[in-house]
Amino acid sequence: MDAVFVELAPFRRHRLGYLDDDAYRSLQQFWLFTLYDKDEASDLTAAQRTALKRMLNREIEARRGL
């Protein structure tokens, strides 16, 4: 399967706060989801970022256990 992973600038700025390099490699081309539409919000709130980080960590731990 050929896929292109497009990393937008806001994602790049915040990625290290959520994912180390190994976790980021696991993410690329496999987890695709929409967080919000730009016409709905310009950015995530602090609480939303915390919740997203918690969910990503939970998913990473679950995948390590496979």
Side-chain angles (χ1 to χ4, degrees), residues 3-59:
V4 176
F5 189 82
V6 177
E7 182 182 300
L8 301 177
F11 177 82
R12 191 176 318 115
R13 282 195 306 271
H14 298 288
R15 181 199 46 103
L16 286 175
Y18 296 96
L19 302 167
D20 63 20
D21 288 337
D22 288 334
Y24 183 50
R25 274 190 288 283
S26 296
L27 168 75
Q28 289 179 328
Q29 299 171 348
F30 292 98
W31 297 349
L32 303 174
F33 53 91
T34 301
L35 296 176
Y36 57 88
D37 288 333
K38 283 303 205 180
D39 64 341
E40 294 177 23
S42 61
D43 202 355
L44 297 174
T45 66
Q48 289 169 324
R49 285 191 299 272
T50 299
L52 176 60
K53 184 176 183 176
R54 188 173 43 250
M55 288 184 284
L56 287 172
N57 286 337
R58 200 175 306 141
E59 182 64 24

